[in-house]
Amino acid sequence: MSDENKLIRDAGNGVRARQLLEEELLVDAFKMLEDAYTLAWRNTKIDDHAGREKLFLAVNVVGKVRDHLQSAVINGKLAQAELDEIARANERRRIFGII
C-alpha cells in the first residue's frame, strides 16, 4: 500500500472515530460502563482482591477504547494535513509546469 493510500485510510478512520466519539449512544455507553464498574468496585467485600482487580481492569479497558478512538482522530487530522500538503505541492508543480 502506498503512503498516500495509508494517509487516505488514516484520514477516513479519523473522521469515523470522531463521529463515534461524538455519538451520544457511545458516550452514554462509556459513561454507564465506567459508572457501573466503579460502583461495583466500591461495593466489593474487603477480602475480594480478585473481584476488585477485575473491575479495575474493566474500567481501564473502557478508557483504553476511548483513548484508541481519540488517537485515531489525532492521526486522522495529521494524515489529512499531510494529504493537503501533498495536494498543494502537486498544484504548485502543475502551475510552474514541473509536471
Side-chain angles (χ1 to χ4, degrees):
M1 179 184 318
S2 76
D3 288 340
E4 196 166 345
N5 286 339
K6 182 182 180 321
L7 291 171
I8 292 168
R9 188 189 78 224
D10 289 349
N13 286 346
V15 169
R16 287 187 293 282
R18 182 181 47 77
Q19 290 169 340
L20 286 172
L21 286 170
E22 292 173 352
E23 175 60 44
E24 187 176 346
L25 183 61
L26 188 62
V27 171
D28 290 346
F30 282 147
K31 176 93 170 93
M32 187 269 315
L33 286 170
E34 284 179 335
D35 290 350
Y37 292 148
T38 301
L39 180 62
W41 172 73
R42 288 177 186 227
N43 289 325
T44 56
K45 296 195 185 319
I46 195 157
D47 60 344
D48 187 6
H49 302 289
R52 274 195 305 281
E53 186 170 321
K54 287 178 185 177
L55 289 164
F56 173 80
L57 292 172
V59 168
N60 282 308
V61 166
V62 172
K64 287 189 181 298
V65 171
R66 185 185 302 109
D67 291 346
H68 178 76
L69 291 171
Q70 289 170 338
S71 290
V73 170
I74 292 166
N75 290 339
K77 288 179 180 179
L78 292 172
Q80 186 59 56
E82 195 167 338
L83 286 169
D84 293 345
E85 180 56 36
I86 290 169
R88 282 191 297 275
N90 287 339
E91 181 62 18
R92 284 191 301 269
R93 286 185 192 109
R94 187 189 66 72
I95 290 172
F96 293 112
I98 297 172
I99 51 175

